[in-house]
Amino acid sequence: MAPEIVIAVITAASVLGAAVVAAVPALLTVLKRTRTAVENQGEETRAVTLDALDAVGSRLQARFDARLDDVRDDLDEVREGLTRVREWQAGHDAEHLIIGQPRHPGGTAT
């Protein structure tokens, strides 16, 4: 596996880890508030809390999708750069082949 891809995968994993670490305290707070609210106000509060949890889940999913898109874009840029380098290398190799075998008048190589 190419080093660029390994770096991109490690970056994606660290971004996901950071998102989880950032979300855990908020989720614990929401769960604590949920527990207290449900005990105090019953079913009405439960419905509101579930909506709030859905909203938090949607925001987390949106952040994850955005980060995933960023990683995909980075991988595309790495692939494009690698393609340009390979194209340049092929042209450079061809130049050396041409320079290394000059042709003389009459069509014979030295």
Side-chain angles (χ1 to χ4, degrees):
M1 190 179 293
E4 298 86 2
I5 294 174
V6 171
I7 290 170
V9 169
I10 291 170
T11 302
S14 66
V15 166
L16 292 177
V20 168
V21 168
V24 168
L27 185 58
L28 292 176
T29 302
V30 168
L31 290 175
K32 183 177 178 183
R33 287 181 186 169
T34 301
R35 189 176 306 119
T36 304
V38 168
E39 290 171 358
N40 293 338
Q41 296 183 5
E43 291 300 320
E44 179 183 334
T45 304
R46 184 174 303 197
V48 171
T49 303
L50 290 175
D51 290 342
L53 284 173
D54 286 341
V56 168
S58 296
R59 280 187 272 149
L60 283 174
Q61 185 65 40
R63 283 183 69 184
F64 172 77
D65 290 343
R67 298 287 172 102
L68 190 58
D69 289 341
D70 290 344
V71 170
R72 286 181 178 149
D73 291 342
D74 290 346
L75 279 173
D76 289 342
E77 288 177 16
V78 167
R79 287 183 182 130
E80 290 171 3
L82 188 58
T83 300
R84 284 192 301 272
V85 168
R86 287 182 178 162
E87 289 171 352
W88 176 87
Q89 185 65 47
H92 186 71
D93 290 346
E95 289 173 352
H96 279 277
L97 287 172
I98 292 169
I99 292 170
Q101 298 176 355
R103 295 230 174 233
H104 293 286
T108 60
T110 54

